[in-house]
Amino acid sequence: MALHLSLPLSLPEVGAVLAAMAVLLLLLVCVIAHVTAVKMPTLHRHAEEKYFLSAAGRKEPVPSIHDLPSKELSVVVPSYNEEERLPLMMDEALDYLEKRQKRDPSFTYEVIVVNDGSKDQTTEVAMKYCEKYGSDKVRVLSLVKNRGKGGAVRMGVLSSRGKKILMADADGATKFADIEKVEEGLKNLQPWPRSYFRTLLMYGFHFLVWFLCVQKIRDTQCGFKLLTREAALRTFSTLHVERWAFDVELLYIAQHLGIPIAEVAVNWTEIEGSKLVPFWSWLQMGRDLLFIRLRYMTGAWQLETRKCN
């Protein structure tokens, strides 16, 4: 009887095997990212989404970002099941905007609340502000089904009339008066407290953002983002991601189109009721970040501009 003994692999051989497996895994992920990518973003509107309700209850056609601007500022508020948190944000925002308009009558604005397929009374709550301030100042755009925060923001942006377009979260975490700091930061570009666990996760997420997509911005997830109308048209018509990581793709697109970006410090307060689920939400975002990078790198996604249907 012959006895055969196999010697264990040496360290260099183990390293070579692990390296080969890593390369194969990366290639597999690249193939999956490329094959599953939707080549161009879906910009379709359902028939019901081509109208908003006026204060009198009449259906009015939504404007287009391709039209000439007729307001100084558009504020887009994505809202999903926000009947409880929305009033605080709207009261603060409209109080500031009304006072600013009284100080400067040339300042005009609109607030677009995008109801992202909510199952609660978000539309009814928002319509009360439309009735109070008029549909020229407050508009409610209701989506047929939930698209995700990025999809809701995009629909609001593409329906806006402002020279400048501000994205603002419905939770009111950022003090609305800080918009003047953000406007100053945008002007300078012309012409062209959390829990330890959440903080640790956020630092990890910021590292992935820096490593994979956007190098010059420390906090991509702040709900306060101000864009010129031209920048909004060029970025949102190319945007693919409709869920939480849409901010990162938005900045990635702007960065690669050579659109100047400035980050401005604002006052931020953590508000209860976040839709993010710690750990699992960050895992999902991490996956989206990797796929954003790979899909642009492999050519599955292209930086092109399209019109919204």
Side-chain angles (χ1 to χ4, degrees), residues 205 221 241-250 284-285 288-289 292:
F205 179 70
Q221 302 310 109
V241 176
E242 292 197 322
R243 297 292 167 179
W244 297 107
F246 86 96
D247 309 70
V248 178
E249 190 193 359
L250 187 73
Q284 182 184 18
M285 283 198 225
D288 289 345
L289 291 180
I292 289 170

Side-chain angles (χ1 to χ4, degrees), residues 17-139:
V17 170
L18 291 177
M21 291 176 64
V23 170
L24 287 174
L25 180 61
L26 179 59
L27 288 174
L28 178 61
V29 172
C30 287
V31 170
I32 292 173
H34 189 87
V35 171
T36 58
V38 177
K39 300 301 179 182
M40 285 299 294
T42 302
L43 302 180
H44 174 71
R45 286 183 192 269
H46 293 280
E48 298 92 327
E49 297 170 350
K50 296 180 179 180
Y51 302 90
F52 67 90
L53 285 179
S54 70
R58 294 190 302 270
K59 284 187 175 181
E60 302 285 350
V62 299
S64 169
I65 196 171
H66 295 281
D67 301 335
L68 292 175
S70 58
K71 300 289 181 183
E72 285 296 315
L73 177 68
S74 292
V75 181
V76 178
V77 187
S79 305
Y80 176 67
N81 293 342
E82 293 288 2
E83 65 175 339
E84 293 184 2
R85 299 195 299 178
L86 187 61
L88 181 63
M89 178 270 168
M90 291 290 284
D91 288 341
E92 181 188 357
L94 288 164
D95 180 65
Y96 165 81
L97 292 167
E98 285 290 294
K99 287 179 178 177
R100 180 169 171 176
Q101 190 173 65
K102 287 179 181 178
R103 294 197 311 266
D104 179 11
S106 66
F107 172 76
T108 55
Y109 73 87
E110 65 174 352
V111 178
I112 304 172
V113 179
V114 185
N115 175 23
D116 190 21
S118 299
K119 296 178 174 63
D120 64 358
Q121 301 297 307
T122 294
T123 291
E124 288 76 5
V125 170
M127 281 302 297
K128 290 180 180 178
Y129 291 91
C130 175
E131 294 164 3
K132 180 177 179 180
Y133 293 92
S135 53
D136 188 52
K137 289 184 174 181
V138 179
R139 295 184 168 185

Side-chain angles (χ1 to χ4, degrees), residues 208-225:
L208 286 176
V209 171
W210 174 85
F211 184 70
L212 293 171
C213 298
V214 182
Q215 281 73 48
K216 296 181 180 179
I217 303 296
R218 289 181 296 176
D219 186 359
T220 60
Q221 302 310 109
C222 178
F224 235 38
K225 290 183 177 67

Side-chain angles (χ1 to χ4, degrees), residues 258-270:
I259 298 173
I261 305 170
E263 189 170 22
V264 179
V266 295
N267 293 310
W268 184 89
T269 305
E270 186 169 353

